[in-house]
């Protein structure tokens, strides 16, 4: 009898372990099927062996007292009650029941982690079956003895496991098209001028993060805006905002928030740049073209319940190149406009730089996005600070306030602003993000 109980407890442990693992992990259907099949085969083998042994003895018995050993492992009160009482009148009356209780008590003490139910839980949902307490005697003359065969009922429905390759890429974007119209009559007492302007922007990001220390962030920014004014008799419209910029960063994690980073930033514009009533071209596509490659560290910012997010890039070493494709630098009216000599097209610089790129969700419908960039070759300094305030009326309509101060001492000094430059606009229009 003891070897039967040992086999039963081993099978019970296997079944309960499979259930615990199934609760803590997401096993695929095939694994669950295989565990249940092995458990069922073991039960059938035990039943067959029991029938064979007892048939040879001349009495075939199906003993219901062994049920607790094969059901999902449950804490019953009786084994503990028997062990804690000084004397128990029921001890010795039923040796099989006593052996089952001792086996259960041993498992409670050695492997409490296998217990998945309690007798109290079973009582609340319907009670513990107590109608089978003695062996059920079968009339051998009315029972045809056959070898039971396990019928695989689920073989045809088993689905082969499907392994899905993880996707480490995150794709997102932001688009907006906004317009501004201002009308001032010719006799307006304060003076002024009517004008119309439109601005479109597309920002796309493709970021890779394998959750194992490697990140690769890519951002493409495109902005193009035009305005018209009656005072400009030379141009029917001219660009008010023009940007084409790519930022790519490859990072290797050093700690929780710090990354060793190689950053590449390239920027130019789409179309020609003019001034009012002036036919001369001040800028154009690839004129200028800025390329900055830096090696440093990135700090990932995440604060105020993730309302403030972004990163800060600090690079002690950076290579900066300015390139001008057009030849109007030969003219005397534009000497060293971008720090490039009149007879050259390229300027190479080395020095430290930094980039701060943050987004702050101030309120449910108000957000602030800022980008600050700085580079110094120890001979010249270039610094720019882009600030965008967005007021979101609903999912598609918003107002934007853009403030952009800039400092560049490689340009010609202005009598009023010095080396500082400033741009600002406010608009309302369509906005879409994904």
């Amino acid at each position: 009898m003891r070897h039967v109980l040992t086999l039963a407890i081993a099978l019970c442990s296997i079944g309960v372990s499979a259930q615990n693992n199934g609760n803590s992990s997401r096993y695929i259907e095939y694994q669950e099927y295989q565990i249940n099949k092995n458990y069922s085969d073991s039960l059938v083998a035990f039943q067959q062996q029991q029938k064979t042994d007892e048939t040879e003895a001349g009495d075939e018995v199906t003993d219901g007292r062994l049920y607790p050993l094969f059901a999902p492992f449950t804490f019953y009160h009786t084994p503990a009650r028997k062990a804690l009482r000084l004397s128990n009148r029921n001890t010795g009356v039923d040796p099989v029941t006593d052996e089952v209780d001792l086996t259960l008590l041993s498992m409670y003490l050695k492997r409490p982690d296998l217990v998945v139910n309690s007798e109290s839980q079973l009582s609340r949902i319907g009670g513990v079956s107590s109608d089978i307490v003695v062996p059920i005697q079968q009339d051998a003359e009315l029972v045809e003895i056959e070898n039971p065969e396990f019928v695989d009922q689920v073989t045809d429905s088993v689905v082969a496991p499907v392994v899905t390759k993880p996707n480490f890429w995150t794709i997102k974007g932001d688009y907006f098209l906004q317009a501004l119209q201002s009308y001032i009559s010719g006799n307006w007492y304060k003076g002024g001028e009517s004008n119309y302007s439109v601005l479109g922007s597309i920002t796309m990001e493709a970021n890779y993060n394998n959750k194992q220390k490697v990140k690769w962030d890519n951002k493409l920014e495109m902005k193009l805006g035009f305005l018209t004014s009656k005072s400009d008799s030379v141009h029917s419209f001219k660009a008010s905002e023009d940007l084409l910029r790519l930022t790519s960063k490859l990072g290797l994690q050093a700690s929780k928030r710090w990354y060793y980073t190689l950053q590449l930033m390239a920027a130019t514009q789409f179309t020609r740049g003019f001034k009012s009533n002036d036919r001369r071209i001040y800028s154009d596509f690839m004129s200028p073209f800025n390329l900055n490659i830096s090696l440093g560290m990135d700090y990932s910012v995440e604060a105020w319940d993730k309302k403030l997010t972004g990163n800060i890039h600090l690079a002690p070493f950076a290579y900066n190149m300015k390139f001008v494709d057009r030849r109007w630098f030969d003219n005397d009216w534009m000497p060293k406009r971008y720090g490039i000599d009149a007879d050259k097209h390229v300027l190479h610089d080395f020095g430290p730089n930094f980039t701060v790129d943050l987004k702050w969700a101030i309120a449910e419908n108000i957000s602030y996005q800022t980008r600050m960039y700085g580079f110094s070759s120890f001979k010249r300094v270039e610094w720019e600070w882009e600030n965008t305030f967005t007021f979101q009326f609903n999912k598609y309509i918003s107002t934007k306030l853009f403030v952009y101060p800039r400092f560049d001492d490689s340009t010609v000094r202005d009598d009023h602003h010095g080396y500082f430059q400033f741009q600002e606009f406010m608009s309302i229009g369509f906005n879409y993000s994904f």
Side-chain angles (χ1 to χ4, degrees):
M1 183 65 184
R2 186 173 298 277
H3 76 278
V4 171
L5 296 176
T6 303
L7 172 61
I9 264 309
L11 295 174
C12 181
S13 300
I14 294 174
V16 173
S17 299
Q19 291 175 355
N20 287 342
N21 291 336
N23 291 334
S24 61
S25 306
R26 293 183 177 179
Y27 282 92
I28 59 176
E29 184 179 356
Y30 178 76
Q31 290 174 314
E32 294 177 347
Y33 159 72
Q34 192 63 40
I35 291 174
N36 292 331
K37 184 176 183 300
N38 294 339
Y39 182 61
S40 301
D41 290 345
S42 300
L43 291 178
V44 172
F46 166 70
Q47 183 184 17
Q48 179 65 22
Q49 182 62 38
Q50 184 186 27
K51 282 188 176 183
T52 302
D53 295 342
E54 293 174 348
T55 301
E56 292 176 355
D59 187 14
E60 181 180 344
V61 178
T62 302
D63 198 339
R65 292 169 294 178
L66 302 181
Y67 167 78
L69 301 179
F70 295 94
F73 202 42
T74 304
F75 178 77
Y76 298 99
H77 301 157
T78 302
R81 188 181 299 115
K82 284 184 178 180
L84 295 176
R85 285 181 177 175
L86 296 178
S87 63
N88 195 337
R89 291 176 297 176
N90 296 327
T91 304
V93 176
D94 188 348
V96 175
T97 302
D98 293 342
E99 198 70 35
V100 170
D101 290 340
L102 288 175
T103 304
L104 292 174
L105 182 61
S106 176
M107 289 299 297
Y108 296 157
L109 296 175
K110 294 180 180 179
R111 293 299 302 275
D113 57 299
L114 299 180
V115 178
V116 296
N117 294 314
S118 69
E119 188 171 339
S120 300
Q121 292 175 324
L122 296 181
S123 299
R124 284 196 299 269
I125 63 175
V128 181
S129 176
S130 59
D131 56 342
I132 303 178
V133 294
V134 296
I136 300 176
Q137 303 295 331
Q138 301 288 349
D139 189 347
E141 295 180 355
L142 302 178
V143 177
E144 181 179 358
I145 300 176
E146 292 185 357
N147 294 329
E149 296 182 359
F150 175 70
V151 180
D152 192 347
Q153 299 289 343
V154 298
T155 303
D156 296 337
S157 62
V158 172
V159 179
V162 177
V163 179
T164 303
K165 185 177 180 180
N167 183 14
F168 299 124
W169 286 93
T170 301
I171 308 297
K172 57 183 179 179
D174 181 70
Y175 310 88
F176 70 82
L177 179 64
Q178 301 192 328
L180 179 64
Q181 181 267 336
S182 174
Y183 172 77
I184 299 176
S185 64
N187 62 344
W188 182 248
Y189 74 105
K190 288 186 177 180
E193 181 182 15
S194 301
N195 61 78
Y196 301 88
S197 63
V198 62
L199 173 65
S201 173
I202 298 176
T203 301
M204 296 184 293
E205 295 186 43
N207 302 324
Y208 174 88
N209 187 351
N210 68 353
K211 309 298 182 180
Q212 296 179 356
K213 297 187 176 184
V214 177
K215 288 177 63 178
W216 184 24
D217 297 338
N218 302 275
K219 180 191 286 187
L220 178 62
E221 301 169 85
M222 296 176 284
K223 291 182 181 180
L224 187 58
F226 297 97
L227 63 84
T228 64
S229 59
K230 293 182 178 180
S231 63
D232 190 354
S233 59
V234 176
H235 309 288
S236 57
F237 63 89
K238 53 183 177 289
S240 59
E241 176 71 12
D242 198 349
L243 174 67
L244 176 60
R245 181 168 60 206
L246 172 66
T247 304
S248 180
K249 292 192 292 186
L250 179 62
L252 179 64
Q253 189 172 23
S255 64
K256 183 178 179 179
R257 297 192 179 276
W258 285 97
Y259 287 81
Y260 301 106
T261 305
L262 176 65
Q263 175 179 276
L264 179 145
M265 186 181 67
T268 185
Q269 62 190 64
F270 288 97
T271 186
R272 297 175 179 179
F274 299 97
K275 289 185 177 181
S276 296
N277 298 307
D278 191 345
R279 296 186 181 277
R280 290 178 293 192
I281 301 173
Y282 286 81
S283 61
D284 201 351
F285 178 72
M286 297 299 290
S287 298
F289 169 73
N290 292 307
L291 175 67
N292 184 281
I293 302 175
S294 59
L295 183 63
M297 296 196 72
D298 261 35
Y299 178 75
S300 297
V301 178
E302 190 174 287
W304 303 337
D305 294 332
K306 296 184 179 181
K307 291 184 178 180
L308 178 64
T309 57
N311 60 79
I312 300 173
H313 176 71
L314 303 174
F317 176 81
Y319 163 70
N320 193 84
M321 182 195 75
K322 283 191 175 182
F323 171 77
V324 176
D325 186 45
R326 298 185 65 89
R327 288 191 166 275
W328 28 249
F329 282 107
D330 297 336
N331 299 330
D332 296 335
W333 61 271
M334 191 180 288
K336 295 190 69 171
R337 180 167 180 80
Y338 298 104
I340 303 176
D341 294 332
D343 58 342
K344 296 182 179 179
H345 290 268
V346 183
L347 174 65
H348 302 281
D349 280 327
F350 297 91
N353 84 331
F354 72 91
T355 307
V356 179
D357 198 343
L358 301 174
K359 187 173 184 179
W360 178 22
I362 301 174
E364 184 178 357
N365 58 345
I366 303 175
S367 64
Y368 168 64
Q369 189 167 355
T370 181
R371 175 187 176 272
M372 183 183 295
Y373 167 80
F375 172 80
S376 174
S377 65
F378 304 106
K379 294 182 180 180
R380 69 178 186 88
V381 175
E382 184 177 337
W383 171 85
E384 52 190 26
W385 187 17
E386 302 175 26
N387 301 273
T388 304
F389 296 88
T390 302
F391 304 88
Q392 196 79 33
F393 297 111
N394 55 41
K395 185 177 181 180
Y396 299 109
I397 304 299
S398 66
T399 290
K400 290 184 180 291
L401 172 63
F402 181 71
V403 182
Y404 183 11
R406 188 176 186 275
F407 178 89
D408 187 354
D409 58 5
S410 66
T411 61
V412 178
R413 182 181 177 87
D414 183 79
D415 294 335
H416 179 66
H417 297 96
Y419 293 115
F420 279 96
Q421 305 166 24
F422 191 80
Q423 183 185 28
E424 180 270 337
F425 67 82
M426 186 172 185
S427 59
I428 184 171
F430 173 82
N431 186 89
Y432 175 72
S433 300
F434 70 92

